[in-house]
Amino acid sequence: MSIKTISILGSTGSIGCSTLDVIEKTNNNFSNGIGDVKFEIVALTANRAHRQLIEQAKKFKPKMVVLVEKEHGDELISELKPLGIKISFGSDALIEAAQMQSDMIMAAIVGAAGLGPTIEAAKRGANILLANKECLVCAGEVFLKTAKQNGAKILPVDSEHNAIFQVLQNPNEVEKLILTASGGPFLNTNIDNLYNVTPEQAVAHPNWQMGRKISVDCASLMNKGLELIEASMLFEMPEDRIDVLIHPQSIIHSMVSYKDGSFLAQLGTPDMRIPISYCMGWPNRLQIDSPRLNLAQIRNLEFHAPDNNRFPALGLARLAMRLGGSATTILNAANEVAVNEFLNCKLPFMQIPTIVCKILDMAQGNGNIVALNDLSEVFNADEWARAKTFEELSK
Ligand code: NDP
Ligand code: MG
């Protein structure tokens, strides 16, 4: 029997809730004599979903909770303090939560906001269950170096990278990585109509239930662009050896091709609890009740090349990868601002890649693409790009 301790950064989000579901089921299994792993929660964190955080804390009894926006902090104090749960507020408290001793940490905050606390967990050598791809996109080299120096193991939660992690045998024999992409809700929408799509249409992903920001990224294929960068960092693979393949059913989660012409793929239903539980149980698998794949019922799996005109984000991500250094940080920051503006109905959907392209061009022209040696340089590049994007949007 083993008891594993875990903290969840971003417990109120889509990945956070799926992680709690895996914990609940695994602990129930344990009580019923199935499996020999039980999880105890050290810290849960949220940005502003205070009611949801309170309910999670009452149910899962962590040692600590963090709420970044303390507007409703008094409710946390009155309901959770009597349970002996430590309560902290503000973004500095995320660092405190990440520093608390635990075997593993689920990094599931959305955006560059997840970077600081996740690096903090890497500094203490925890297993990092990495959903927050922004750590690798914005600060890949700094993050990986910190993890390596402190013996922190990075376990990729993102379904494509998790698939590759599962089928990667001998890295020296790999020819290519093939990231699959569903193509999102606008795969077959007439390009002319893409100028008028609403946030609600963009977040209605055909296969996956996710947070709003990543759902918009899936619709523009910027998510796949960010995943190209993530894969290149994680698996030390150059840009030209990572392909993207549209696969609308989201059954094959990604593939690795080898020098003898063999392709290895990982398949499963589109359920994030599968990659989450793989990381939580690693190097073993947990028993979970995800819907099983029925290929006889599905019958057809389709594949085709991505349309780069419809989805310019892919080309932008590849450009940023070739430029290296701060280029991917800048790409991510400009995209975060633009997506937020789109979600607030202040920017048309097709303007998202246009504005990201402008900011990347500007960075190249101004000599802002530089090597990033530490976290403060990463934050500087991120701030520069956000400020420039706002400036551009206000014109
Ligand atoms: P959600 O938007 O559903 O959840 C985000 C979580 O982060 C919430 O707990 C939210 O708190 C918290 N949060 C948001 N902003 C801040 C902030 N500034 N400071 C601290 N906490 C914050 O996102 P997802 O779960 O969909 O995604 C999380 C990460 O995982 C992203 O990086 C995404 O790219 C990645 N990912 C997600 C997948 C998915 O299926 N959802 C698949 C693969 C990767 P609150 O609820 O209070 O707002
Ligand atoms: Mg993914």
Side-chain angles (χ1 to χ4, degrees), residues 229-297:
I229 302 165
E230 183 185 8
S232 168
M233 284 288 165
L234 266 178
F235 305 114
E236 295 178 34
M237 193 61 69
E239 178 265 322
D240 59 354
R241 284 173 60 201
I242 315 176
D243 287 350
V244 171
L245 182 66
I246 302 289
H247 166 43
Q249 291 84 7
S250 301
I251 296 297
I252 293 187
H253 297 304
S254 277
M255 296 182 258
V256 177
S257 71
Y258 289 90
K259 65 181 185 184
D260 63 353
S262 292
F263 281 59
L264 298 193
Q266 185 260 352
L267 287 72
T269 47
D271 181 344
M272 282 309 292
R273 291 175 306 166
I274 300 174
I276 289 170
S277 69
Y278 185 81
C279 295
M280 288 171 64
W282 183 85
N284 303 310
R285 289 177 194 268
L286 302 176
Q287 179 76 40
I288 66 161
D289 63 351
S290 61
R292 295 320 196 228
L293 197 56
N294 185 336
L295 286 173
Q297 215 167 50

Side-chain angles (χ1 to χ4, degrees), residues 19 34 79 111 189 203 214 285 381 384:
T19 306
I34 305 165
E79 296 185 48
T189 308
V203 300
I214 185 178
R285 289 177 194 268
W384 178 86

Side-chain angles (χ1 to χ4, degrees), residues 27-97:
N27 289 356
N28 285 344
N29 281 343
F30 181 82
S31 304
N32 295 325
I34 305 165
D36 62 353
V37 185
K38 191 179 170 210
F39 289 95
E40 280 178 7
I41 299 182
V42 176
L44 296 178
T45 82
N47 190 32
R48 57 181 59 189
H50 68 288
R51 282 306 334 160
Q52 198 183 350
L53 183 64
I54 290 172
E55 296 316 318
Q56 290 181 343
K58 284 182 178 169
K59 185 166 173 185
F60 290 95
K61 312 224 164 26
K63 289 194 172 70
M64 176 189 195
V65 294
V66 173
L67 185 66
V68 175
E69 302 287 337
K70 58 173 146 192
E71 198 187 340
H72 297 281
D74 46 344
E75 290 179 44
L76 264 78
I77 293 169
S78 68
E79 296 185 48
L80 300 182
K81 225 175 187 153
L83 304 178
I85 296 171
K86 181 174 177 338
I87 302 152
S88 295
F89 302 105
S91 46
D92 286 351
L94 293 172
I95 304 286
E96 200 190 324

Side-chain angles (χ1 to χ4, degrees), residues 14-250:
S14 159
I15 293 286
C17 291
S18 296
T19 306
L20 286 170
D21 187 66
V22 172
I23 291 174
E24 184 178 8
K25 305 264 164 63
T26 306
N27 289 356
N28 285 344
N29 281 343
F30 181 82
S31 304
N32 295 325
I34 305 165
D36 62 353
V37 185
K38 191 179 170 210
F39 289 95
E40 280 178 7
I41 299 182
V42 176
L44 296 178
T45 82
N47 190 32
R48 57 181 59 189
H50 68 288
R51 282 306 334 160
Q52 198 183 350
L53 183 64
I54 290 172
E55 296 316 318
Q56 290 181 343
K58 284 182 178 169
K59 185 166 173 185
F60 290 95
K61 312 224 164 26
K63 289 194 172 70
M64 176 189 195
V65 294
V66 173
L67 185 66
V68 175
E69 302 287 337
K70 58 173 146 192
E71 198 187 340
H72 297 281
D74 46 344
E75 290 179 44
L76 264 78
I77 293 169
S78 68
E79 296 185 48
L80 300 182
K81 225 175 187 153
L83 304 178
I85 296 171
K86 181 174 177 338
I87 302 152
S88 295
F89 302 105
S91 46
D92 286 351
L94 293 172
I95 304 286
E96 200 190 324
Q99 284 169 338
M100 282 182 80
Q101 194 49 46
S102 66
D103 297 321
M104 57 187 89
I105 194 150
M106 169 56 78
I109 289 175
V110 60
L115 186 53
T118 309
I119 285 221
E120 216 49 46
K123 282 188 198 159
R124 65 172 174 83
N127 275 5
I128 312 279
L129 283 46
L130 191 69
N132 178 281
K133 61 193 83 185
E134 293 84 355
C135 284
L136 290 167
V137 174
C138 308
E141 280 157 24
V142 175
F143 178 62
L144 291 172
K145 196 167 110 194
T146 308
K148 196 170 176 188
Q149 277 170 350
N150 296 286
K153 175 85 185 159
I154 296 171
L155 298 156
V157 170
D158 210 350
S159 59
E160 297 77 2
H161 308 74
N162 186 271
I164 291 170
F165 184 66
Q166 291 196 40
V167 299
L168 195 59
Q169 292 180 341
N170 187 348
N172 300 328
E173 295 173 348
V174 171
E175 205 161 68
K176 279 195 166 185
L177 306 180
I178 301 123
L179 298 179
T180 52
S182 70
F186 304 139
L187 182 60
N188 300 311
T189 308
N190 186 314
I191 289 199
D192 295 336
N193 295 340
L194 286 182
Y195 291 86
N196 301 319
V197 293
T198 64
E200 291 324 305
Q201 288 172 310
V203 300
H205 196 278
N207 307 337
W208 299 94
Q209 294 290 322
M210 303 176 289
R212 287 168 75 78
K213 194 275 175 177
I214 185 178
S215 297
V216 175
D217 285 346
C218 285
S220 68
L221 251 74
M222 182 58 90
N223 182 52
K224 211 49 56 182
L226 301 179
E227 290 183 355
L228 279 168
I229 302 165
E230 183 185 8
S232 168
M233 284 288 165
L234 266 178
F235 305 114
E236 295 178 34
M237 193 61 69
E239 178 265 322
D240 59 354
R241 284 173 60 201
I242 315 176
D243 287 350
V244 171
L245 182 66
I246 302 289
H247 166 43
Q249 291 84 7
S250 301

